């Protein structure tokens, strides 16, 4: 027996069952708030009924589990075989809402775009290194800042009780949002390190408990939800393949691939298994396949979650089978619609309080990325950021600005994130800012703490 057989690499070691279960639950709790927020945002934006919102939550948890298994266990040319938790990316939220809002597309248009875009980018993973010269920190930082700013309006409406609420802005709603934010801040300041990683989830739980105590939670959808239900492909109908929607989603995936490449390489160093070019390609292919899986199972594109990478560094537990266990928990949770309905019944004001922090963190991640680009010494970078932000905020500030534009371009023109990204890429190629002013960001446990709740390039 060789020493390698007797002593497997810590990444490939399987902890005892009890420890594995506890560590796996830690990973689930760390990423749960970020995972459920995206389907709730989409459901709210599209004004879906409670049962559809609950199903989107179940579908998201199910796809999270499947894509995490693919990354951790691997299957042929897919999966990096490292301790990775995969969750839905915030980069695609506003593009998905823009696609779904177009007549004749809806959620089927989003799922068709995700499936097609995933299949398109999988063969392109070997070119990700070249994309780095185009998708610079200036471009990705601007994109993250736009994502946070674009979503902030959703958080504000939620905190006030929901856009169409008859008690919009009532003291009760503002109290719930404020208590949720205050809890998050207190946990971040005074709790132990692991609990800090779960600060948003704890804040939501406290706000939800207070709302129940005040008697303002409607559990009707929980009572009517089935006790057990499988997540099935194409629950909302067969996917619709629209060229403009597909092009929009391809841009989203290219952004996430560039971000993922840095995160995966950093994780490889953290666990003592440096990522080779072949390993990286397998990991990025799994990212692309995550979009396909998301589209098939009524969810959205997926990427690695930064806070879970931070948890690996914090605990020192490098086994990928811990994340396999977490994936199994997510798959199990997806089978219980009453749990998803309970999540969907959370008052908008509680979600809004958590979202104010969560989306603010996304914007702050963009600012942190821009801080490495030498804005203080590069007029070109300042111009790229300034113009891209202005163009990217057009759909947020005015829903009639592109009213006379061709309908076929609507999925693109009504997504400020995509408008801003494309503008930033074009200006980056035109102005060619000096790279000497930029500073390579250093990434450590602080960078990957609760300040980076979702993987958006931090």
């Amino acid at each position: 027996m060789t020493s390698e057989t007797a002593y497997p690499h810590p990444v490939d070691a399987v902890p005892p069952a009890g420890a594995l279960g506890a560590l796996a639950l830690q990973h689930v709790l760390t990423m749960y708030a970020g995972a459920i927020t995206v389907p709730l945002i989409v459901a709210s934006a599209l004004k879906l009924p409670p049962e559809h919102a609950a199903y989107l939550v179940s579908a998201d948890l199910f796809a999270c589990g499947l894509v995490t298994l693919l990354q951790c266990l691997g299957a042929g040319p897919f999966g990096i075989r490292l301790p990775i938790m995969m969750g839905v990316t915030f980069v695609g939220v506003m593009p998905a809402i823009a696609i779904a809002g177009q007549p004749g597309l809806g959620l089927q248009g989003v799922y068709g775009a995700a499936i097609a875009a995933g299949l398109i980018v999988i063969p392109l993973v070997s070119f990700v290194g070249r994309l780095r010269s185009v998708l610079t920190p200036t471009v990705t930082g601007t994109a993250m800042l736009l994502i946070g700013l674009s979503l902030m309006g959703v958080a504000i409406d939620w905190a006030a009780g929901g856009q169409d609420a008859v008690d919009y802005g009532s003291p009760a709603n503002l109290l719930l949002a404020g208590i949720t934010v205050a809890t998050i801040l207190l946990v971040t300041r005074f709790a132990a390190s692991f609990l800090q990683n779960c600060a948003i989830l704890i804040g939501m739980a406290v706000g939800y408990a207070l709302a129940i105590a005040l008697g303002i939670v409607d559990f009707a959808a929980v009572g009517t939800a089935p006790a057990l239900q499988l997540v099935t492909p194409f629950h909302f109908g067969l996917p619709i393949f629209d060229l403009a929607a597909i092009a929009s989603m391809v841009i989203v995936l290219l952004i996430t691939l560039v971000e993922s490449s840095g995160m995966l390489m950093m994780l490889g160093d953290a666990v003592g298994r440096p990522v080779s070019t072949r390993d990286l390609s397998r990991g990025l292919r799994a990212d692309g396949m995550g979009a396909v899986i998301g589209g098939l199972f009524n969810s959205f594109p997926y990427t690695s979650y930064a806070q879970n990478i931070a948890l690996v560094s914090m605990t020192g537990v490098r086994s990928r089978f811990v994340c396999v266990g977490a994936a199994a928990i997510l798959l199990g949770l997806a089978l219980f619609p009453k749990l998803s309905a309970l999540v969907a019944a959370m008052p908008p004001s509680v979600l809004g309080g958590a979202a104010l922090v969560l989306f603010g963190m996304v914007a702050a991640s963009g600012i942190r990325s821009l801080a490495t680009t030498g804005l203080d010494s590069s007029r070109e970078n300042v111009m790229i950021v300034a113009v891209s932000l202005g163009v990217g905020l057009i759909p947020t500030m005015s829903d009639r600005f592109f009213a006379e534009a061709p309908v076929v371009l609507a999925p693109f023109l009504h997504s400020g994130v995509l408008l801003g990204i494309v503008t930033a890429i074009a200006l980056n190629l035109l102005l060619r800012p000096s790279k000497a002013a930029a500073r390579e960001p250093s990434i450590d446990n602080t960078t990957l703490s609760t300040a980076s709740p979702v993987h958006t390039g931090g």
Side-chain angles (χ1 to χ4, degrees):
M1 180 179 293
T2 66
S3 58
E4 182 177 356
T5 303
Y7 303 101
H9 192 282
V11 168
D12 300 318
V14 181
L20 190 151
L23 292 166
L25 183 60
Q26 274 191 329
H27 274 288
V28 172
L29 294 175
T30 299
M31 57 91 68
Y32 192 80
I36 65 172
T37 303
V38 171
L40 293 177
I41 292 172
V42 174
S44 174
L46 300 181
K47 296 180 172 57
L48 299 181
E51 63 272 17
H52 287 179
Y55 193 90
L56 283 182
V57 171
S58 293
D60 180 42
L61 296 176
F62 184 78
C64 278
L66 286 183
V67 183
T68 298
L69 287 177
L70 181 63
Q71 276 286 28
C72 294
L73 295 178
F78 297 93
I80 197 168
R81 284 92 164 165
L82 290 177
I84 290 281
M85 290 302 298
M86 301 293 288
V88 65
T89 174
F90 271 63
V91 178
V93 174
M94 298 311 291
I97 292 173
I99 293 169
Q102 299 310 305
L105 293 182
L107 285 173
Q108 293 116 302
V110 176
Y111 301 146
I115 293 169
L119 294 175
I120 290 170
V121 302
I122 287 173
L124 302 179
V125 296
S126 58
F127 298 101
V128 168
R130 299 180 186 180
L131 284 175
R132 285 184 173 275
S133 63
V134 177
L135 298 173
T136 63
T138 304
V139 175
T140 56
T142 301
M144 288 183 282
L145 183 54
L146 274 172
I147 292 167
L149 294 177
S150 298
L151 291 171
M152 197 57 70
V154 175
I156 292 170
D157 278 336
W158 275 355
Q163 192 173 42
D164 300 323
V166 295
D167 61 343
Y168 188 94
S170 69
N173 287 327
L174 300 186
L175 173 66
L176 287 173
I179 291 294
T180 302
V181 173
T183 302
I184 293 170
L185 295 176
L186 290 173
V187 171
T188 301
R189 173 63 180 85
F190 296 108
S193 296
F194 167 67
L195 291 179
Q196 290 176 11
N197 283 330
C198 302
I200 292 178
L201 181 62
I202 294 171
M204 293 169 68
V206 170
Y208 200 178
L210 177 59
I212 293 172
L214 294 175
I216 59 176
V217 180
D218 183 2
F219 291 113
V222 179
T224 59
L228 191 68
Q229 184 181 40
L230 295 176
V231 175
T232 55
F234 310 131
H235 178 81
F236 296 100
L238 293 177
I240 297 173
F241 299 97
D242 177 84
L243 289 179
I246 293 170
S248 297
M249 202 59 73
V250 166
I251 295 173
V252 168
L253 294 190
L254 291 177
I255 293 287
T256 60
L257 287 184
V258 171
E259 296 172 348
S260 289
S261 64
M263 298 293 288
L264 295 176
M265 292 176 69
M266 181 184 62
L267 177 63
D269 292 338
V271 300
R273 178 175 279 179
V275 174
S276 66
T277 301
R278 181 183 178 189
D279 295 331
L280 181 60
S281 295
R282 289 203 306 256
L284 296 180
R285 287 192 198 100
D287 271 26
M289 186 56 69
V292 177
I293 291 172
L296 289 174
F297 288 98
N298 324 287
S299 193
F300 310 96
Y302 287 83
T303 190
S304 53
Y305 266 20
Q307 70 269 38
N308 291 93
I309 295 177
L311 186 61
V312 170
S313 299
M314 184 184 75
T315 62
V317 178
R318 295 179 278 175
S319 171
R320 58 192 170 110
F321 292 99
V322 169
C323 291
V324 170
I329 293 174
L330 290 171
L331 291 172
L333 292 175
L335 297 176
F336 300 99
K338 287 189 181 296
L339 176 62
S340 297
L342 190 65
V343 171
M346 188 179 301
S349 50
V350 176
L351 287 170
L356 281 171
V357 179
L358 188 60
F359 302 157
M361 287 178 176
V362 175
S365 295
I367 294 171
R368 185 176 57 210
S369 181
L370 290 174
T372 69
T373 64
L375 291 180
D376 55 345
S377 57
S378 173
R379 182 180 303 172
E380 294 86 357
N381 277 331
V382 171
M383 187 63 69
I384 291 171
V385 175
V387 176
S388 301
L389 282 178
V391 173
L393 288 173
I394 288 174
T396 301
M397 300 301 178
S398 173
D399 57 0
R400 296 187 297 122
F401 191 89
F402 294 112
E404 300 300 322
V407 176
V408 70
L409 296 178
F412 172 74
L413 295 178
H414 290 280
S415 171
V417 174
L418 289 178
L419 275 177
I421 290 173
V422 171
T423 301
I425 291 173
L427 291 177
N428 187 65
L429 294 173
L430 174 65
L431 300 178
R432 296 187 179 278
S434 171
K435 295 181 181 179
R439 302 183 299 277
E440 190 67 24
S442 60
I443 303 178
D444 54 21
N445 286 358
T446 302
T447 304
L448 294 176
S449 67
T450 52
S452 295
V454 286
H455 170 33
T456 53

